[in-house]
Amino acid sequence: MKRAVTLTINGEAISSEIEPRTTLVDFLREDVMLTGTHVGCEHGVCGACSVLLDGTPIRSCLLFAIQAEGHEVTTVEGLVEEDGSLGLLQDSFWETHAMQCGYCTPGMLIAAYGLLAESADPTEAEIREAISGNLCRCTGYVQIVDAVRLAAARMRQQ
Amino acid sequence: MTDTTPRIYVSTKRRPKEDGRFVSGAGRFVADIARPGMLHVALVTSPYPAAQIINVDTSVAAACPGVVTILAGPELANATAPLANAVDTPGVKIFPLAQSTVRYVGEWVVAVAAETRAMAEDAAELVEIDYDPMPFVVDPTEALGPSSPPVHSDHGNNILYDRVFTWGPVTDDFTISPHQLSFHVRWGRSATVPIETFGVIAEWGAGNQILDVWASIQMPSYPEQIASSLKIPLNRVRVHYDVDVGGSYGVKRGIKHTILVGYLARKLSRPIRLIEDRLENMTGGDMHGPDRRFDVSVAFDAQGVIRSLKLRALEDVGAQTGRAPFQLGKPVSAIVGAYRINSVEYHATAVSTNKTGQTAVRGFGMSPTNVALEMAVDKVARYLSLSRLTVRRRNFIRAYEFPYRIPSGSEYDSGNYHTVLAKARDLSNLDKLLARRDAARALGYVAGIGLATCLEPGGGNSAFEPLLNPKNETTTWPESCAIKVDRTGRVTATIATSSSGQGHQTLVATIIGEELEIDPDQIQVLHSDTLSALPGNTPVASRMAIMLGGAAAGAARKIRERVIQIGAHNLGCGLDDVIYCNGRVVRVGYGGQFITLDHIALIAHREFHNLPPGLSEPGLQAIHVEQVPQGGTLPKSDGRVQMYPCYSFAAHMVYAEIDRLTGKVSLEDYSIAHDCGTVINPDIVRGMVIGGAAHGIGAALYEEFVYNSAGQLLSGTFVDYVMPSAHEVPYIRVAEHCTPSPLTSHGQKGVGEGGYLGAPAAVMSAVNDALNPFGVECLELPLRASKLADLLAEAE
Ligand code: FES
Ligand code: FES
């Protein structure tokens, strides 16, 4: 039995008919074709599926899409500037090479984005806390910490 | 020897080419690829460590909505050849789906193909299988015994490989040495566990009769094994390498997955996809890593100079063979580490048990061996009350001794271990760390400093294959690059591999940019597919900077030579009258008269009349297939062989504190000095070193596939299999040293594995330094908090 769902994704209103058991991440990836959000565990540990729900990072594998009814979802694809160029945080990740395989990167960006929305000058400990729910197997996190620091500094200059 | 070559792009900070697509969410991973009409697979797996399959009833499942087919083992086995068995173990035949028996929990028994993954999962739950449980074995030492139930009954016992190698006068060296120490070390079963599970899509083209494969793969001989198992000609298998691989570090080798979907794709004439979920990955994914027990003996003198080493390694490869036993072979390439040890006895045994199968893990078996070796050095130091640095310095191969041949036959190309160790000491500010440790101890804290070094062999020719299996005569392991300069002068290179985070596009563009003196950002680098690709062996064994770098340099140098020929001819002068500079051929001494690469490209493609006589081939393109430096020879009868050409080196220093009550280890300070020769891209290298160390910290402290006595895997989720987060990995500092390799295009060596080779030993060293004042030790990885807490409690 399918059910209707209406939500905003990256600023665009989306309506769809889906099975109630569809998770938000599957909905984003398979129905809306936004494949930037990844799946690592489907049990809420790795953070690869992180998206912003009304501005707060959440795990889209732990939410049914219908639970996002009426909410605003932002995925990595929505972090770009209006002209389509990379957002400052994305550019900072590139500048410090805060990734290798790139699989955890969208989730990391979301976690860091959530932090920077709250805090203009986070300490290393705060950065680590903010990304500690996101596993990265490649980097050892150091260049990710560097990236978030760089992004914060650049944002303060703006 | 240090590197003073002036360079334009190599070794300078440049943003990696790949990162732009990853930060924008535009990476293209296998799960992002959807083929029209694609079906999805879910698996029914064994709940028993060993059992006879009595009956499989698929009738209810088959009637479920969306189900297209249900496949069991016998049908698949009838249609395919067994999966490759690396050491040709007699009586061991492996197919993707179990035949009449299951051999481990999680082994695939039945595959369901349906219109969606959810439908396939729904139906999979309704497949009824009757089993008759059989005796099984979980403990590798028990598995060695003649009365243990054989995992593969046709093999008769559980010993898959067993050989004693002796290199040099071990008995004499032990006899004449005044001191000896023996101990036991254990490396727990862990793996690389990429955040992306394995996935594959197969599609059979009715028209072109080609099997197209998109996969999250990092596996040498992948198309060859697909072709041979599916019994189709190799030139009908096309593996697409333009798929981003979400981490691998060795394990992305889903050959059985591929045979399964390849078979179904042909049978059903529909594209079919299998993406493991996390549980399938952890249990049936056959991606566990080394699980090893060592008995170590060293013979040494009063100065701490180690003369001889005896190493007995027992590897529990689980229920599948694959390439797992080879992981006992690679350590032979650097069996003495950085030390001038005169003789070695190495007893390598691989046993099967009723556990998930093993595959290649970062370092291919070297990291466990390095733990054994480094603990030996630490123990010698402690026994003689010498500093661990001093003992290492006394045993290190001296810088003037390179190239240096070790007892097991490999020649190390270059290095300067004393300098790198000094850099690690300085970076860690060792005096301050010692003061910090002692102050912490005075306050009652359990604190220790760890030190470990490691060798990282890179770029090998897979010599462990003929070493462990004499039927295998592999003596090369080439890598290729093709470059074409189009009519407008734009450069495109194609490479024969997919990448899983190593930055091969950046590597190739940087090296071609360096050779042709053009901006690497303007160079296109494409991952091709196996039908259009030249020979390649994928990014295993820290080989790509060496081998793909060498291939790119080789091809670029051919282009450059041709460009100079055409340029000189069109400038009306001889080859000696021109130089190549910044994408131009310049006539020396003629007021800077020059001709651009773009113009030369146009001539090459369109103006045959302007080509120099003797150049009969139009266009501007080159291929280069790089042979492994030092490769080409089979092992001698005693096992001596040149296994790898290039040897990187690293020294790790770490400061750790252990919570007295909980046993929790926190790494408060971590420094690495390393030498991988010439660095191609500094940010990529730094990331590899730190990321490898983080991975090693996981293996040292947290990660383990734990089996209970009933043969059940207890850590099949990320809740139980704990990987380090940003809380556990400290801000690792890195210092570089450069001893160029004399064997490679720009002096580069490998770097992808070194962090992982050093960290577990360094962490174990730190923990045992912390435990030392309490008179206890722990030589078992992972160093679980509960274990350490118990040890400390007992000691008090
Ligand atoms: S996929 Fe959602 S947390 Fe891992
Ligand atoms: S970049 Fe590969 S998992 Fe983070």
Side-chain angles (χ1 to χ4, degrees), chain A:
Chain A
M1 188 60 66
K2 293 202 168 182
R3 250 186 72 170
V5 64
T6 301
L7 68 167
T8 308
I9 300 174
N10 299 333
E12 208 181 309
I14 304 275
S15 293
S16 189
E17 294 264 310
I18 54 171
E19 277 193 58
R21 66 174 173 175
T22 309
T23 57
L24 179 58
V25 67
D26 284 349
F27 176 68
L28 290 170
R29 291 180 48 81
E30 279 154 32
D31 294 87
V32 194
M33 308 307 282
L34 290 173
T35 54
T37 305
H38 296 153
V39 170
C41 67
E42 294 176 283
H43 51 256
V45 180
C46 74
C49 64
S50 301
V51 298
L52 298 170
L53 190 76
D54 302 328
T56 306
I58 57 117
R59 272 135 218 264
S60 61
C61 73
L62 292 186
L63 204 70
F64 293 117
I66 54 172
Q67 291 176 288
E69 172 76 34
H71 290 277
E72 221 170 278
V73 172
T74 308
T75 68
V76 64
E77 291 91 344
L79 298 185
V80 291
E81 301 292 328
E82 264 165 36
D83 65 357
S85 63
L86 289 183
L88 205 149
L89 180 63
Q90 292 167 307
D91 188 77
S92 302
F93 266 59
W94 194 349
E95 182 61 28
T96 67
H97 185 48
M99 74 210 75
Q100 285 169 34
C101 75
Y103 198 74
C104 72
T105 310
M108 281 290 175
L109 285 162
I110 293 291
Y113 195 91
L115 170 71
L116 295 180
E118 306 260 290
S119 164
D121 192 7
T123 62
E124 182 185 335
E126 286 165 342
I127 295 171
R128 287 182 176 274
E129 175 65 25
I131 61 167
S132 64
N134 291 63
L135 292 175
C136 174
R137 194 48 153 178
C138 293
T139 63
Y141 307 102
V142 169
Q143 283 151 302
I144 299 175
V145 170
D146 290 350
V148 181
R149 260 197 206 132
L150 175 66
R154 286 165 154 191
M155 278 176 188
R156 289 196 302 276
Q157 273 167 16
Q158 277 189 342

Side-chain angles (χ1 to χ4, degrees), chain B residues 89-333:
Chain B
T89 329
V92 178
K93 279 205 178 104
I94 311 270
F95 292 94
L97 298 175
Q99 303 298 297
S100 53
T101 53
V102 289
R103 299 189 171 92
Y104 63 99
V105 171
E107 181 172 1
W108 299 354
V109 182
V110 167
V112 179
E115 298 293 339
T116 68
R117 166 78 189 193
M119 286 168 156
E121 283 183 33
D122 288 344
E125 280 177 20
L126 298 171
V127 172
E128 292 283 348
I129 304 173
D130 294 333
Y131 296 97
D132 187 7
M134 301 195 306
F136 58 91
V137 60
V138 179
D139 182 87
T141 318
E142 260 170 50
L144 274 178
S147 59
S148 80
V151 175
H152 298 273
S153 52
D154 289 348
H155 185 60
N157 61 49
N158 286 314
I159 300 173
L160 301 179
Y161 183 80
D162 188 55
R163 183 169 170 188
V164 181
F165 298 92
T166 306
W167 299 298
V170 176
T171 314
D172 291 352
D173 283 343
F174 265 81
T175 313
I176 58 171
S177 295
H179 302 290
Q180 297 180 13
L181 277 172
S182 296
F183 60 99
H184 186 75
V185 183
R186 158 110 215 258
W187 174 281
R189 194 177 197 85
S190 57
T192 72
V193 194
I195 308 298
E196 181 206 47
T197 58
F198 181 78
V200 56
I201 301 169
E203 179 172 341
W204 176 253
N208 62 15
Q209 299 280 298
I210 284 175
L211 184 76
D212 280 297
V213 176
W214 296 263
S216 174
I217 194 79
Q218 181 211 2
M219 179 177 170
S221 303
Y222 180 57
E224 288 81 358
Q225 291 190 30
I226 297 172
S228 101
S229 277
L230 290 177
K231 303 178 185 170
I232 49 180
L234 184 51
N235 63 1
R236 296 199 178 280
V237 176
R238 177 164 58 195
V239 179
H240 295 261
Y241 284 139
D242 57 345
V243 176
D244 290 314
V245 178
S248 172
Y249 337 93
V251 303
K252 287 278 177 69
R253 300 189 183 219
I255 185 65
K256 74 174 184 185
H257 312 58
T258 310
I259 300 310
L260 175 68
V261 294
Y263 171 74
L264 287 171
R266 290 184 75 198
K267 173 177 163 164
L268 304 172
S269 289
R270 291 193 52 188
I272 183 152
R273 179 165 99 176
L274 167 55
I275 309 282
E276 294 174 332
D277 68 20
R278 186 49 68 184
L279 189 63
E280 284 166 347
N281 172 256
M282 303 287 261
T283 55
D286 291 340
M287 57 62 155
H288 290 188
D291 181 349
R292 205 173 286 180
R293 286 146 175 80
F294 291 99
D295 293 303
V296 189
S297 300
V298 277
F300 54 100
D301 68 15
Q303 307 306 310
V305 174
I306 300 171
R307 199 167 278 135
S308 189
L309 167 72
K310 288 185 197 167
L311 208 55
R312 195 274 191 268
L314 174 63
E315 178 66 58
D316 173 355
V317 303
Q320 311 288 50
T321 45
R323 285 172 75 78
F326 283 160
Q327 299 198 73
L328 288 164
K330 180 165 178 180
V332 171
S333 68

Side-chain angles (χ1 to χ4, degrees), chain B residues 480-495:
Chain B
S480 318
C481 182
I483 303 177
K484 74 168 194 182
V485 184
D486 64 31
R487 195 197 286 181
T488 69
R490 300 303 97 177
V491 177
T492 303
T494 49
I495 61 177

